[in-house]
Amino acid sequence: MNNPYDVLIIGAGLSGMYQLKRMRDLGFRVHGFEAGSDVGGVWYWNRSPGARFDSESYSYGYSWSKELLQEWNWSEHFAAQPETLRYCQYVADKFDLRHDFSFNSRIKSAIWDETRRTWTLTTDDGTTASSTWLITCLGPLSAPTPPNIPGRDDFKGEAFHTATWPHTPVTFANKRVAVIGTGATGVQTITQVAKTAGHLTVFQRTPNYCAPLGNRPITQEEQARIKASYDQFFATCAATTGSFLHTADPREALKTSAEEREAFWEQQYYAPGFGIWLGNFADVGTNAEANALASEFIRRKIRERVKDPVIAEKLVPKNHGFGTRRVPLESGYYEVFNQPNVELIDINKEPIQHINPHGIQTNERTLEFDMIIYATGFDAVRGSFDRIRIEGTNGTLLQDAWSEGPTTLLGLQSPGFPNLFTIVGPHNAAGFCNIPRCIEQNVDWVTGFLIHARTKGNTRIEASTSAAEEWTRHVYDMVALTLFATTDSWFMGVNQNTPEKKRTFLAYAGGSPRYKKRCDAVAADGYRGFIQN
Ligand code: NAP
């Protein structure tokens, strides 16, 4: 029996939308499934207060339609979530993408049939669909993890995880609000909620090194300049390690005088975007001594901005180095802790014991709240795969195959799971990337491979075990050259709400240009390392 589809796609975020368009334009019979009621992926789900880009807006949008680039006006240098969701919807309208997606359709299982060389998807309402090729476009941060605190479900007030935020307005005025978690999402949420909450209590376990975002509206003159500069922006992104507009300064902190270092950091700290992280001295991310100097600079900034020295000390990170976790970019975060309506609780000193119907019980106090916000992160990269029963050859579950850490080839396929491509999957440059740039690279590469297969008449592609093991070794070799593995973070697959998960590196630390070069070399060599027939 022929498959009704050549290609099935899971997810209608930025990856799924582009992948679907490319397949359809090339005449592949394609269909997509999306759990949400519309397109947008991360921007559809994460509607929490203050959610916005940390990439410059004009470096983030799709690069593949010059018409779209000229039509769309970003209103701010770092646009907020509602605008990005509108952008995704605009793209879907313009290219009629919704037509080939089924919405409100969460995929429960994906089962490989070796005899028929077919993947069969089943949704939560029992709908099934089959295809030769399956492309997951799940996003690296789409499996939210509410905290595993006893009594969580007993709370009678409003309670939200930031990644499943309601679509209706939520107000904080006169309310006693708790926020648990101080990662990039918590930092954005706290800053926004503090503006109107009656009282805000922040529960922090690990303080992060946050730095100013430097956001502002885009003026008319800037808009014209931006529209004339897209080729240049994308060329810059293609050349930088993380595909952002920022790139490491070739100088080394350890070989630069203290005065020059200070002046540079002072300027980078206040410059918009990730300059202080990705545009820092080249050795800050790789040399512990250089990193210690940069860490001390940011600590000093925190102490300067927070008036009460006791509170400041709670906010100063001490157990990891600057930039070894993603740096949250903020707009007045530290000043929030100077407000009389805000309290910071260090849960290392005052642990949460349980949640009760009216609030949170710590080891010292009973605190009553009207609302609890969980900014407690994600089961990153692997989590959204594990939430689907993905069965490969001989009935092997992907979740079992990856239990000791994924083995992948280019972060795009795993042995034992033929014809399954994982856009922005584990070991893929996307983990550290200004993600649409890496999404486009991933989608274009997979698309090229499927055209190649169609031309050759191949209907089965599987990463060889030896090639996947070699790539996975390379992934670990690359991260060993950096300081990322020196601390816990979602890059390392660590989330305290998923203690069953093994600590393992989930991204690719060799940089997107090197990653792309490897992908291109594999393609040029007839897709070396992939068994094709
Ligand atoms: P995250 O970085 O994993 O932070 C989760 C926070 O919740 C951490 O502070 C964590 O503490 C805390 N936490 C988790 N479980 C807890 C528990 N049971 N009890 C108390 N605290 C708990 O997640 P995120 O903030 O959602 O950010 C994830 C990533 O999303 C970011 O790194 C970034 O890549 C992306 N993001 C980007 C933007 C943007 O500006 N574009 C904004 C938001 C997010 P510990 O650190 O101690 O574990």
Side-chain angles (χ1 to χ4, degrees), residues 204 207 299 302-303 306 308-318 344 346 349:
Q204 170 192 271
R299 291 190 190 115
I302 299 170
R303 291 182 180 118
V306 180
D308 181 331
V310 177
I311 300 175
E313 232 31 58
K314 286 188 197 172
L315 288 162
V316 167
K318 297 189 179 87
L344 175 66
D346 173 359
K349 300 254 163 58

Side-chain angles (χ1 to χ4, degrees), residues 344-471:
L344 175 66
I345 295 183
D346 173 359
I347 62 170
N348 302 296
K349 300 254 163 58
E350 188 181 343
I352 297 175
Q353 287 187 329
H354 60 263
I355 295 176
N356 62 42
H358 305 291
I360 294 177
Q361 178 70 47
T362 73
N363 67 334
E364 290 178 13
R365 292 179 277 175
T366 305
L367 296 158
E368 294 200 348
F369 295 108
D370 302 301
M371 183 189 294
I372 304 179
I373 299 175
Y374 303 117
T376 45
F378 301 87
D379 183 354
V381 191
R382 282 173 298 188
S384 40
F385 289 95
D386 292 348
R387 291 177 188 198
I388 300 171
R389 182 182 174 82
I390 300 178
E391 216 178 285
T393 52
N394 305 317
T396 306
L397 295 180
L398 187 68
Q399 163 169 20
D400 293 339
W402 286 1
S403 63
E404 292 298 302
T407 301
T408 78
L409 181 47
L410 300 173
L412 288 166
Q413 256 214 358
S414 270
F417 298 85
N419 294 11
L420 167 61
F421 292 96
T422 55
I423 304 297
V424 309
H427 302 171
N428 188 303
F432 282 135
C433 193
N434 182 11
I435 202 162
R437 304 283 66 80
C438 286
I439 284 172
E440 289 181 356
Q441 182 276 339
N442 275 202
V443 166
D444 290 340
W445 192 88
V446 169
T447 301
F449 203 170
L450 295 191
I451 295 169
H452 177 82
R454 184 164 72 178
T455 311
K456 295 261 178 195
N458 291 334
T459 55
R460 192 182 189 284
I461 295 173
E462 183 181 359
S464 77
T465 303
S466 57
E469 284 175 353
E470 194 218 315
W471 175 255

Side-chain angles (χ1 to χ4, degrees), residues 56-96:
E56 284 74 5
S57 309
Y58 29 89
S59 76
Y60 190 95
Y62 286 127
S63 71
W64 43 262
S65 165
K66 291 215 182 303
E67 200 176 273
L68 174 65
L69 288 167
Q70 293 307 313
E71 276 170 16
W72 185 260
N73 294 317
W74 293 108
S75 70
E76 292 178 278
H77 285 265
F78 300 89
Q81 174 273 334
E83 185 168 335
T84 312
L85 179 58
R86 278 201 302 280
Y87 170 78
C88 296
Q89 292 166 337
Y90 181 85
V91 173
D93 286 339
K94 182 173 171 69
F95 299 101
D96 189 24

Side-chain angles (χ1 to χ4, degrees), residues 1 3-5 8 10 33 107-114 116-123 126-134 388-392 418-419:
M1 190 182 87
N3 285 326
Y5 295 111
L8 287 173
I10 311 177
F33 290 93
I107 298 298
K108 286 297 197 205
S109 67
I111 313 288
W112 170 249
D113 181 329
E114 185 65 60
R116 292 171 55 217
R117 295 188 167 191
T118 291
W119 279 101
T120 298
L121 297 183
T122 305
T123 69
T127 303
T128 61
S130 298
S131 62
T132 308
W133 314 106
L134 173 61
I388 300 171
R389 182 182 174 82
I390 300 178
E391 216 178 285
N419 294 11

Side-chain angles (χ1 to χ4, degrees), residues 42-43 46 48 50-55 60 79 140-141 145-149 161-163 180-188 203-208 213 274 277 319-320 325-329 347-348 352 374-380 431 433 488-491 494-498:
V42 73
W43 302 107
N46 292 266
S48 47
R52 66 172 62 247
F53 284 153
D54 50 19
S55 315
Y60 190 95
L141 296 161
T145 48
N148 47 4
I149 301 172
H161 188 285
T162 51
I180 302 179
T182 53
T185 306
V187 165
Q188 290 180 336
F203 291 85
Q204 170 192 271
R205 191 176 79 137
T206 310
N208 282 303
L213 174 65
F274 271 140
W277 184 29
N319 69 352
H320 65 283
R325 306 169 121 212
R326 179 135 171 165
V327 174
L329 294 183
I347 62 170
N348 302 296
I352 297 175
Y374 303 117
T376 45
F378 301 87
D379 183 354
C433 193
D488 288 344
S489 70
W490 69 261
F491 299 142
V494 178
N495 178 305
Q496 49 186 304
N497 309 301
T498 55

Side-chain angles (χ1 to χ4, degrees), residues 102-373:
S102 298
F103 292 98
N104 301 305
S105 300
R106 187 172 285 283
I107 298 298
K108 286 297 197 205
S109 67
I111 313 288
W112 170 249
D113 181 329
E114 185 65 60
T115 316
R116 292 171 55 217
R117 295 188 167 191
T118 291
W119 279 101
T120 298
L121 297 183
T122 305
T123 69
D124 48 5
D125 71 359
T127 303
T128 61
S130 298
S131 62
T132 308
W133 314 106
L134 173 61
I135 308 180
T136 57
C137 295
L138 301 172
L141 296 161
S142 38
T145 48
N148 47 4
I149 301 172
R152 201 187 73 223
D153 295 337
D154 297 340
F155 183 62
K156 294 263 186 291
E158 297 170 277
F160 313 110
H161 188 285
T162 51
T164 46
W165 198 261
H167 293 197
T168 46
V170 176
T171 60
F172 312 104
N174 303 319
K175 290 181 186 166
R176 297 161 301 174
V177 182
V179 176
I180 302 179
T182 53
T185 306
V187 165
Q188 290 180 336
T189 305
I190 289 159
T191 310
Q192 199 60 23
V193 172
K195 290 180 180 160
T196 53
H199 193 272
L200 170 64
T201 307
V202 174
F203 291 85
Q204 170 192 271
R205 191 176 79 137
T206 310
N208 282 303
Y209 295 91
C210 312
L213 174 65
N215 188 29
R216 60 185 172 79
I218 292 174
T219 64
Q220 264 189 347
E221 299 76 59
E222 283 174 332
Q223 195 73 258
R225 267 208 305 280
I226 286 166
K227 292 202 177 174
S229 308
Y230 274 119
D231 287 348
Q232 197 186 318
F233 293 151
F234 294 131
T236 301
C237 291
T240 62
T241 308
S243 305
F244 285 87
L245 291 172
H246 306 274
T247 196
D249 190 292
R251 290 173 299 167
E252 293 179 27
L254 294 179
K255 293 189 181 148
T256 309
S257 72
E259 295 72 38
E260 204 180 323
R261 233 168 25 215
E262 275 303 295
F264 177 63
W265 281 336
E266 194 67 28
Q267 175 242 314
Q268 290 293 78
Y269 183 77
Y270 292 108
F274 271 140
I276 187 68
W277 184 29
L278 304 175
N280 214 314
F281 293 114
D283 52 349
V284 165
T286 55
N287 179 299
E289 209 185 320
N291 185 275
L293 293 171
S295 303
E296 205 40 51
F297 173 85
I298 306 286
R299 291 190 190 115
R300 210 159 61 229
K301 285 286 168 203
I302 299 170
R303 291 182 180 118
E304 278 167 23
R305 289 173 61 183
V306 180
K307 285 186 189 146
D308 181 331
V310 177
I311 300 175
E313 232 31 58
K314 286 188 197 172
L315 288 162
V316 167
K318 297 189 179 87
N319 69 352
H320 65 283
F322 171 68
T324 56
R325 306 169 121 212
R326 179 135 171 165
V327 174
L329 294 183
E330 43 84 30
S331 308
Y333 175 63
Y334 289 112
E335 287 69 18
V336 158
F337 296 95
N338 297 331
Q339 291 180 206
N341 66 331
V342 177
E343 182 183 7
L344 175 66
I345 295 183
D346 173 359
I347 62 170
N348 302 296
K349 300 254 163 58
E350 188 181 343
I352 297 175
Q353 287 187 329
H354 60 263
I355 295 176
N356 62 42
H358 305 291
I360 294 177
Q361 178 70 47
T362 73
N363 67 334
E364 290 178 13
R365 292 179 277 175
T366 305
L367 296 158
E368 294 200 348
F369 295 108
D370 302 301
M371 183 189 294
I372 304 179
I373 299 175

